[in-house]
Amino acid sequence: MRASIVKPVLKIRPGIALLAICLLLCSFKGLMDDQEWTAWGNRFLNETYDPSVDPNIKKFEINLTPDHFIRLRKTYQQGKQEYFSFRINRMDALNFKPGTANTDTIEFKTVTDDIIYQTFEDPAGDLDSMVTQWDIPVKKLSPKRLDSLKEALTFLKGKNP
């Protein structure tokens, strides 16, 4: 009596399919590098920063630099400028504060006064100081996006360019 080969092949087909899927998934690059996290962080900050909270802002520039600084420059209609900057490896905490229907707040904290705050062309006089907390208004965020920002900043915090 001849034995059929069809039954054993049918039994190992799911195993072969699983192996093929595993090989396919393992072939993708698993982790992002420094440059990719920086680019993603820049895109995130520019897409989510909400300048509408202050209607007097004429323009703003926010970026995450390759040397791991987060910088924000706001220019107001009357010419006054505000500048914030800090290095990510000095960050102690990143907190989320729910806000209004359209806007939330991300709070950056450092252990010591490591956040630079400066004003230029201010009628009340220019200011140059250091602070430990910086709140930035952002458009409504999903918890998933906030977690990805935390992941990016945690990765970059561990790097010292």
Side-chain angles (χ1 to χ4, degrees):
M1 179 192 282
R2 290 188 166 173
S4 173
I5 193 165
V6 175
K7 285 185 181 181
V9 169
L10 290 176
K11 287 182 180 179
I12 61 171
R13 189 183 307 174
I16 292 172
L18 183 61
L19 180 63
I21 291 171
C22 288
L23 288 173
L24 179 68
L25 292 176
C26 291
S27 68
F28 290 112
K29 188 175 179 183
L31 299 173
M32 291 174 46
D33 66 9
D34 195 37
Q35 191 175 18
E36 291 169 320
W37 276 122
T38 303
W40 186 92
N42 261 321
R43 192 176 80 239
F44 177 92
L45 291 170
N46 281 288
E47 287 175 359
T48 60
Y49 180 75
D50 189 4
S52 68
V53 171
D54 190 348
N56 293 324
I57 292 180
K58 185 166 74 172
K59 71 175 186 171
F60 73 93
E61 300 167 36
I62 188 166
N63 61 18
L64 174 57
T65 66
D67 55 349
H68 305 156
F69 277 87
I70 294 180
R71 295 191 168 119
L72 171 65
R73 182 180 303 276
K74 298 188 280 187
T75 304
Y76 292 88
Q77 292 172 358
Q78 62 273 34
K80 173 186 169 184
Q81 291 184 18
E82 283 186 327
Y83 176 78
F84 297 87
S85 177
F86 80 99
R87 191 170 181 144
I88 293 171
N89 68 354
R90 305 298 296 171
M91 184 176 70
D92 184 44
L94 171 70
N95 299 315
F96 176 76
K97 297 178 186 176
T100 64
N102 299 323
T103 304
D104 292 323
T105 302
I106 294 177
E107 174 189 71
F108 294 101
K109 284 187 176 183
T110 57
V111 176
T112 59
D113 292 342
D114 291 316
I115 301 171
I116 299 168
Y117 173 67
Q118 297 173 316
T119 61
F120 304 99
E121 299 178 30
D122 189 350
D126 292 344
L127 185 64
D128 190 358
S129 66
M130 304 291 284
V131 295
T132 58
Q133 180 180 321
W134 174 32
D135 295 342
I136 64 167
V138 292
K139 297 170 186 163
K140 278 295 182 188
L141 289 176
S142 69
K144 210 179 213 183
R145 286 204 27 116
L146 183 63
D147 286 344
S148 61
L149 175 64
K150 286 181 181 180
E151 185 178 345
L153 296 180
T154 300
F155 175 85
L156 294 172
K157 183 178 177 181
K159 298 286 182 173
N160 290 317

